[in-house]
Every structure is written in C-alpha cells, then in structure tokens.
Amino acid sequence: MDRWIVHALGPRLRAAVVAPVAVDLGYGAAPWTAVELHHRLTAVRPDLRVVGIEIEPARVAAALPYARPPGLTFRRGGFEVPLDGARAQLIRAANVLRQYEEEAVEAVWARLCGRLAPDGLLVEGTCDEVGRRHVWVALGPEGPRTVTFAARLASLDRPSDLAERLPKALIHHNVPGRPVHAFLTEFDRAWAAAAPYGAFGARQRWAAACAALAGSWPLVDARGRWRQGEVTLPWAALAP
C-alpha cells in the first residue's frame, strides 16, 4: 500500500507549497506502520509530517518513544482526525473499518474525506497480518475513485484468494451476480490461462492475466504496476 501511495501521490507531495501532512489512522498496538510510512514518504518529500493516530491512550503512550518530531508524531484521536486545523494530504486507514458494520462505511468515508486537503487522498482497506494480501479503496474529497488489489505473488495460489481481504464496503458483495464476484471469477480464469507464463515467474503470470482482463474490465493502471503485484480499477466498476 505504501509503495502504491508513493506512486499515486508522489508528484503532489513534491509540488506542495508547504510541508504536507500524512496520517496513519489506527496504526495498532505497535507504531511500525507509521514509522515505515514516514520512511517511505520522506524519501519523496523530506519535510513531510506523519501523524500516527490511535483511539487507545495506551497505544499512543507505547508509540511515543518512536516519535521524531516534527516529522513523526503520535496522538490520540479517531475519525475526527485531530490535526490542529491542518488538512491531510493523505489519510491511510488499514484494517480500521473491518470491525464496523457495512452501513457505517459511507458516513466514515465522508467524515475522513472532509479532513483532506483539496487534492488529498484517503486510502482505506484491509490486509492480512503480514501485509502480503491487500485490497484498498482510494478516495478523494469527492468520494471513492479506485479499488486496488495487491499481493505478494509468490504466496498467491489464485487472485480470488484476495476475496477475504476485501474492504468492508465490498466484502459482503462477493456473491454471484455482483460486480466484484464477477471480476474475481474472471481474474481466476485469466490467471489459469496465464499458467505458462509462470515459468518466467509469478510477476509475469500476474501481468499476463491483467493484460487479458484489460479486454473486458476498465483497468486504470498498466504493466509497470502489474509487475508490482497490483491491479487497479475504477470504483464504479466494482461498486455494489
């Protein structure tokens, strides 16, 4: 997800007139994701600030030894995203909404998007415990834009294995007759047909399967991203 964020936001981060602010919302029991996000994004924009936000005071206290003000700080908060009046260029929320009901997602999205800068990005999704399988929605202030499927390809049996990591807005719609189910079903077929490319590695097989999908699905990325183990579609193509 961080790698994709750098690709998607890099030009805007470099062009920002003032130091951008990125938020790692709900970083969890340990602050490693915020630390890693700071490392990746400051390689693009050295004066960027990352704020790790958690609702649990104990988690904030545990993260404080890893703070590096002003570039990396931690504070208590939730969906209000407390930034002392600043707007976020990025809000990343991984595995935050999975414990909520689907009916709550739209309101949470709207609240978080309301904390974005005019050209900011909300990235919300779900991944496995070690980040090898991940699906996320990217949203601007106007709402959802794209859905990205990403995997460590060496550990992937078939693309539909990503179904269990669909974000809350999609996971209950992975049933026959719904777009996300149709996409994953066709992806599995394309993956199977691309099996001969597996002799050249899983990346080549994934890229070949994505190229086949592009004939019937409006993919918004190309081979360079596919080789990273990603594929991105417009939200409208998969929306329930």
Side-chain angles (χ1 to χ4, degrees):
M1 180 189 268
D2 289 354
R3 185 174 56 205
W4 183 89
I5 286 169
V6 168
H7 167 73
L9 271 184
R12 277 174 275 176
L13 296 178
R14 295 186 187 97
V17 175
V18 298
V21 177
V23 171
D24 188 13
L25 181 64
Y27 54 81
W32 312 133
T33 59
V35 172
E36 291 170 357
L37 184 66
H38 179 255
H39 176 73
R40 288 182 181 270
L41 294 186
T42 52
V44 176
R45 178 68 186 249
D47 63 346
L48 177 139
R49 296 190 295 121
V50 170
V51 182
I53 295 178
E54 256 293 344
I55 197 70
E56 296 291 339
R59 292 183 171 186
V60 178
L64 290 179
Y66 301 93
R68 297 292 183 271
L72 175 61
T73 58
F74 298 93
R75 66 186 305 172
R76 187 185 181 196
F79 296 139
E80 77 281 6
V81 188
L83 294 175
D84 299 326
R87 294 279 176 173
Q89 190 72 44
L90 167 73
I91 299 174
R92 184 186 67 177
N95 298 324
V96 172
L97 294 185
R98 62 182 180 176
Q99 68 266 36
Y100 286 79
E101 297 296 327
E102 181 185 350
E103 292 73 18
V105 170
E106 187 173 350
V108 172
W109 278 357
R111 190 172 187 187
L112 294 178
C113 286
R115 302 296 296 127
L116 293 173
D119 59 347
L121 197 67
L122 165 64
V123 182
E124 185 273 312
T126 303
C127 68
D128 65 1
E129 290 76 7
V130 290
R132 292 182 177 180
R133 298 177 183 179
H134 207 156
V135 187
W136 61 82
V137 180
L139 306 92
E142 79 287 354
R145 295 175 178 172
T146 60
V147 183
T148 298
F149 296 78
R152 179 181 171 87
L153 298 178
S155 65
L156 191 71
D157 290 329
R158 60 183 62 84
S160 62
D161 289 348
L162 289 164
E164 63 185 15
R165 303 303 169 183
L166 287 167
K168 179 61 74 170
L170 291 175
I171 194 166
H172 299 301
H173 298 276
N174 184 32
V175 293
R178 297 297 181 92
V180 68
H181 183 272
F183 173 74
L184 288 172
T185 299
E186 190 166 342
F187 205 169
D188 277 354
R189 293 194 190 105
W191 178 255
Y197 290 90
F200 303 102
R203 292 177 186 270
Q204 294 291 346
R205 185 178 181 182
W206 178 273
C210 291
L213 282 175
S216 53
W217 291 87
L219 308 187
V220 299
D221 49 9
R223 186 171 292 271
R225 301 313 304 173
W226 301 340
R227 285 179 54 79
Q228 300 294 326
E230 302 168 4
V231 65
T232 300
L233 299 88
W235 167 254
L238 300 183

